[in-house]
Amino acid sequence: MLQHGLIKERFSALATDSIRAELLSLVGYETQLMEFIDIEHTPKNILIRAYKTGKKPLPGQFERYQQFTQLLSVKPFLENELKELL
C-alpha cells in the first residue's frame, strides 16, 4: 500500500482526521466528520465539527486509540497538546 504515493497520501489524510476526531472525543467533545466540498473538487474535504459536552470516554476508548496510533507508529502533535486532559 505504501509503495503508491496516491494511496499513501489519501490514507494518511484519513488516518489524521480520524485521530483528531478521536482525541477530541477523548477530552469531552462530541465529534462529527462531514464532507464539506464535493470530492471531485478536492480529496481533502473532511470537516471535523466538535461540540463540548464534557462526556467521559467510553471504557476501552483510550486503549483503542493507543493501539491505532501504535499500529501506525505515530505520535500526533494534538495528543501532546492535550496530554493534560487525557
Side-chain angles (χ1 to χ4, degrees), residues 10-21:
R10 288 188 183 172
F11 178 80
S12 298
L14 290 171
T16 300
D17 287 338
S18 178
I19 288 169
R20 289 175 178 156

Side-chain angles (χ1 to χ4, degrees), residues 25-76:
S25 178
L26 287 169
V27 296
Y29 285 82
E30 175 84 25
T31 59
Q32 298 173 335
L33 289 112
M34 307 167 50
E35 182 178 74
F36 70 101
I37 297 175
D38 195 88
I39 195 137
E40 66 188 41
H41 300 294
T42 177
K44 296 180 181 179
N45 65 343
I46 295 177
L47 170 72
I48 301 172
R49 182 166 54 181
Y51 302 95
K52 182 74 172 170
T53 63
K55 288 196 310 189
K56 301 290 183 203
L58 297 171
Q61 186 176 359
F62 185 71
E63 290 76 17
R64 286 190 300 274
Y65 164 79
Q66 287 182 313
Q67 290 172 351
F68 185 62
T69 56
Q70 288 171 2
L71 174 71
L72 298 177
S73 299
V74 296
K75 181 69 172 172

